[in-house]
């Protein structure tokens, strides 16, 4: 006889009848899926059961959300300083990961990568944080959002911060007057927060060939997200650009 299905139990009642004799080696409360084999005697009596596996039931899928946006841009020289901007709306704090990838791009076959980018996180007239070489303590957060890993002690830059609702900018500059190609990334590092990233933009130099500005984005969760994507050029003159 095969027993299978799903069950819900508190830690105190793991051995209850609801589990149909499931082994009590499970040490975490919650929803589980399980499969057992039961040996039956000639009279139909049970001779014992063996649990083949038991694993946590899949968690309910979270609603779709914008997980990250990135821009490949030229930095320094005629291209100047690209600036990412984003808006956080809602209630509470939002954990955000911002990265400026330069030298690690060489591993992807990209030539002319920026050797040593510097990154700042700004709210209005206040500088929230700056970084020149990313801290290894951010590696776990990078992995949790699906960002590709960076070599330890590389000259790439990153900032991990919990931010309240408001408008933020993240300029990326070249150290010591250098120039090259960099990848500027903004990640939603806290999908459970009631706050949300509602807008992400990048102001950067647009050229041809290797100086083409390339944005990319990722959507996580279940369902769809309605996005408005714009490339604004001549209208910037009205803002003094």
């Amino acid at each position: 006889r095969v027993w299978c299905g799903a069950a819900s139990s508190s830690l105190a009642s793991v051995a209850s009848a609801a589990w149909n004799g499931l082994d009590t080696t499970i040490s975490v409360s919650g929803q589980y899926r399980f499969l057992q084999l039961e040996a039956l005697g000639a009279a139909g009596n049970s001779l014992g059961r063996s649990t083949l596996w038991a694993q946590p039931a899949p968690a309910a899928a979270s609603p779709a959300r914008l997980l990250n946006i990135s821009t490949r841009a030229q930095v320094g020289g005629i291209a100047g300083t690209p600036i990412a901007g984003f808006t956080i709306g809602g209630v509470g704090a939002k954990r955000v990961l911002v990265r400026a990838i330069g030298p690690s791009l060489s591993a992807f076959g990209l030539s002319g990568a920026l050797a040593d980018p510097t990154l700042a996180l700004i709210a209005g007239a206040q500088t929230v944080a700056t970084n020149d070489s990313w801290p290894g303590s951010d590696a776990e957060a990078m992995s949790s959002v699906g960002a590709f890993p960076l070599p330890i002690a590389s000259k790439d830059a990153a900032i991990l911060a919990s931010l309240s609702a408001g408008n933020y900018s993240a300029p990326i500059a070249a150290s010591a007057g250098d120039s090259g190609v960099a990848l500027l990334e903004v990640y939603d590092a806290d999908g459970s927060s009631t706050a949300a990233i509602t807008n992400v933009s990048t102001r950067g130099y647009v050229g041809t060939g290797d100086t083409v500005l390339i944005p990319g984005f990722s959507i996580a969760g279940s369902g769809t997200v309605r996005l408005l994507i714009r490339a604004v050029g001549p209208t910037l003159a009205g803002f003094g650009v």
Side-chain angles (χ1 to χ4, degrees), residues 18 36 48 97 99-100 116 124 129 141 153 179 195 218 228 238 240:
Q36 294 181 321
L97 172 66
R99 308 200 305 177
D116 188 7
S179 63
S218 300
L228 171 65

Side-chain angles (χ1 to χ4, degrees), residues 15-96:
S16 69
W19 286 85
N20 293 318
L22 183 63
D23 295 346
T24 57
T25 53
I26 293 176
S27 59
V28 180
S29 305
Q31 298 283 337
Y32 286 83
R33 297 184 301 181
F34 64 91
L35 176 65
Q36 294 181 321
L37 292 181
E38 180 180 23
L40 300 179
N45 57 310
S46 177
L47 300 179
R49 296 184 187 181
S50 175
T51 300
L52 300 185
W53 57 257
Q55 65 182 39
S62 59
R65 75 184 199 281
L66 185 64
L67 175 63
N68 101 294
I69 186 167
S70 61
T71 304
R72 196 199 78 169
Q74 186 74 23
V75 183
I78 191 175
T81 300
I83 303 174
F86 57 93
T87 301
I88 295 177
V91 179
K94 167 62 67 176
R95 196 167 181 239
V96 175

Side-chain angles (χ1 to χ4, degrees), residues 134-141 160:
W134 74 283
S137 57
D138 288 350
E140 183 177 350
L160 180 65

Side-chain angles (χ1 to χ4, degrees), residues 2 4 20 89 101 105 117 129-130 140 152 154 158 167 169 172 177 199 207 209 217 231:
V2 177
C4 62
N20 293 318
I101 311 299
L105 293 179
T130 61
E140 183 177 350
I152 297 298
S154 75
N167 299 316
S169 61
I172 173 175
N199 163 265
F217 57 90

